[in-house]
Amino acid sequence: MDTIKIVLAGQPNVGKSMLINSMSGSNGLKVGNFSGVTVEKTELCFEHHCHMFEMIDLPGTYSISGFSQEEKVAHDYLTNEDYDVIINVLDSTHLKRNLLLTLELLKLNKKMVLALNMADEAKKEGIEIDVKQMEKIIGVPVVLVSANTKEGVEELLEKVHEVADSQERIKSNILYSDAMEEEILAIETFLTQKGFSLRDLSNREIAIRLLFEDKDIYKELHDEPIMMELQPIILKALQHLYTHHDTKNVQEIKANEYYAIARGIHLETVNCQRNRGKKSLTKQIDEVLINKYLGIPIFLFLMWGLFQITFTLGAIPMDWIDRAIGSFGDFVGSNISNEFMRNVIVDGIISGVGAVLLFLPNIIILYIGIALLETTGYMSRVAFLLDGFFHKFGLHGKSFIPLVTGFGCSVPAYMAARTLKSEKDRLITLFIIGFMSCGARLPIYVLFTGAFFGADKAGNILFLIYISGALLGLVMAKILRVVVFKGEDEPFVMEMPKYRFPSFTLIWHTVYNNAKSYVKKAGTFILGASVLIWVLATYPNQPLLDKEYQAKIEQQSNKESIKTLENELKMKKMEHSYLGQIGKLTEPFFAPLGFDWKMTVSLEAGLAAKEVVVSTLGVLYAIGDDVDENSNALAHELKKNISFASAISFIVFVMIYLPCLAASMVFAKEAGGYKYLAYLFIFTTVTAWIFSFITYRILL
Amino acid sequence: MKLSELDKGDRAIIKKIDSSEDLKTRLASFGVVRGSELSVEACSIGKQTMEIMVDDTLIGLRAEEAKEIEVEKL
Ligand SMILES: Nc1nc2c(ncn2[C@@H]2O[C@H](COP(=O)(O)OP(=O)(O)OP(=O)(O)O)[C@@H](O)[C@H]2O)c(=O)[nH]1
Ligand SMILES: [Mg+2]
């Protein structure tokens, strides 16, 4: 089967990723309504008419000479890699500026198809595009598509086939300004007279590149004798262009020329019927959402609402899950006769995995919130609103995007920081992403706030935890900016996308994928960790202790005191287990913060993954459980065994300390070395310790 | 006058852009070039950031960047 390698290029937020999704009929690529959703080259394969389509999704790029790190990815790929066809995706409702990139892409001299995406929106806005005319001018096939309604997608696939198979190219009819055309002709004629040719470039193309001072062409022509005669012609031509454009900056001349061409093409092919007076919906919404005075309060209110819902709405299914897990444990317990197996499964696996699964509803609500933020277009507005505030703390407004992503999971957040152009802004952002508590920490908070504050206050406390984490992050950013990463401020210019009503499928897939991976993690990694914790907390066997208590119990006749003795035995055994020994070893370090060895061990286990904190607590308290069957057993146990001050101090520590192993690895990669991970470890541990210590001492 | 001196609702034509090369390229790809018309859509508190519309594209920028753009009010 033949493979066609197709690369999608276009400005940010024009729907490249969504177009690949609809072409391939999958939902594999992340889509969001802001610039910089895709930050890494991503590949996806599917079959079409007996051909293998290998699609490459690139980060959006405003112009081919990249500006930020992820734009460089696009630039490098387009200029250096081998591929068959470029699909240049354009936003039909913003054709003029999208065409600027098209003009640059044409210079790559590759087979190309233009996909005018968002046809549905264009229709709604009364924009008509003359596709045939555009084809004639630009000289490449043009297809009107909508990744949303899938109209034109099949046609686009056909066109890609055709273009990939065809050898010849249609001639383009792009015309520059009169002055430029005059000089192009002069150079072109000279080259033809000399019988000169270079690669597959036409003489007209060579002339254009010479006039735009394309470095590569000068390099190639450097040793050619023709250069000697060419030089005075070029110099004269440039003089002419300088006076015509009133500047000696060739880049600016090029920009002017391109802009004029784009405007020309737009004028000839686009017919806009919109009545001018009417305010667009986006403008109306912006009147409220980025209102000078209301903007920030509205944002805070929405965040508060989200956490309120996360707790209160999440509590309903949580109850059911808790009961289901409880009865499942009982059922399994009463049906397994082998004591060892029963204990591993009930106290290890079911308690550990169950403790994590319990919080699935909260996680889902949180992810719905984040998905809404990402897909409606509100994200960029918040970056806009917060830039002034962020700027005071030495952060860039755009940092908001990775930081918000960090509320879901730190791994994509670290990668999202690539949209920041300045290396220092990026590093600072990387360092403080961990202060944005990720979804995996949510279960810990929900567990502790539920246990120690009661249902009516828990939502507020949850909000407070997230906000104070974020504020702390800002303060840390300021410190880092002043002490470590001094330097120039990066300009803030950012496109504000149109508000879009997110489709149900879009939200569903984002949330579903995240929920699925949460459950999958619970079923694999957390399960393994729970068994490990159980084993470590149960062994080695302690026959001496057993015998001692056996004797004591036999002497008792009172049921109550027998039970107390039995519990005492369990506790003692656990304290002497491997896990107990590890805990005791590190307990002194955490004792000033009010943590006992069980909390210490769960924090340490949490370095692997934050969900493990909860599963470890689940296992540890299940082993020591005095088997009472009321709901929310773990929360109940915690409240019984841990003081209020210790609990809050624990929350504070969890808020600040090192993210999970997977995230730490990504951090090291993104920051540029394990050296940075060591810094991060020290930075977060010291901060966490100090803040927990203060909290504990105040509350004690 | 400077773009940063405009208020919400004002319209203007761009006369000159004094930014660094990088920023100029970026602005140009938004359609912010000499001669284009813009309107100010929103300002944040203390005018730290402003939202402008050029050619149907909404762009957010900081006051410092807006200071580098010379405009003529309409
Ligand atoms: N109405 C409509 N919306 C679309 C269409 N295609 C994409 N969108 C929306 O446009 C936004 C951007 O889509 P993405 O696929 O993430 O854009 P992208 O080009 O990959 O963006 P970057 O990765 O940031 O460069 C999303 O909100 C989509 O829902 C379309 O054909 N019609
Ligand atoms: Mg994308």
Side-chain angles (χ1 to χ4, degrees), chain A residues 16-17 30 37-38 57-58:
Chain A
K16 296 177 293 302
S17 305
K30 193 168 154 60
V37 180
T38 310
D57 187 22
L58 292 180

Side-chain angles (χ1 to χ4, degrees), chain A residues 8-22 29-40 57-61 70 89-92 116-122 124 145-151 374-377 419 497-503 506:
Chain A
L8 271 85
Q11 294 200 339
N13 209 37
V14 295
K16 296 177 293 302
S17 305
M18 196 178 188
L19 191 57
I20 296 191
N21 280 345
S22 19
L29 298 175
K30 193 168 154 60
V31 169
N33 192 15
F34 60 94
S35 303
V37 180
T38 310
V39 290
E40 222 177 10
D57 187 22
L58 292 180
T61 174
E70 100 273 10
V89 186
L90 294 90
D91 175 350
S92 302
L116 309 185
N117 194 23
M118 314 234 179
D120 54 327
E121 272 184 13
K124 251 187 236 147
V145 294
S146 162
N148 197 19
T149 63
K150 305 216 168 163
E151 83 172 85
E374 285 179 345
T375 51
T376 50
T419 47
K498 246 179 265 186
Y499 286 105
R500 294 202 163 89
F501 200 78
S503 71
L506 199 60

Side-chain angles (χ1 to χ4, degrees), chain A residues 617-628:
Chain A
L617 287 171
V619 175
L620 291 180
Y621 283 103
I623 300 177
D625 193 359
D626 52 2
V627 235
D628 69 340

Side-chain angles (χ1 to χ4, degrees), chain A residues 365-379:
Chain A
I365 296 171
L366 182 73
Y367 272 111
I368 291 176
I370 294 176
L372 281 175
L373 195 59
E374 285 179 345
T375 51
T376 50
Y378 190 44
M379 184 84 110

Side-chain angles (χ1 to χ4, degrees), chain A residues 506-519:
Chain A
L506 199 60
I507 301 277
W508 163 254
H509 280 287
T510 321
V511 175
Y512 174 78
N513 283 338
N514 283 312
K516 198 172 78 181
S517 72
Y518 185 79
V519 173

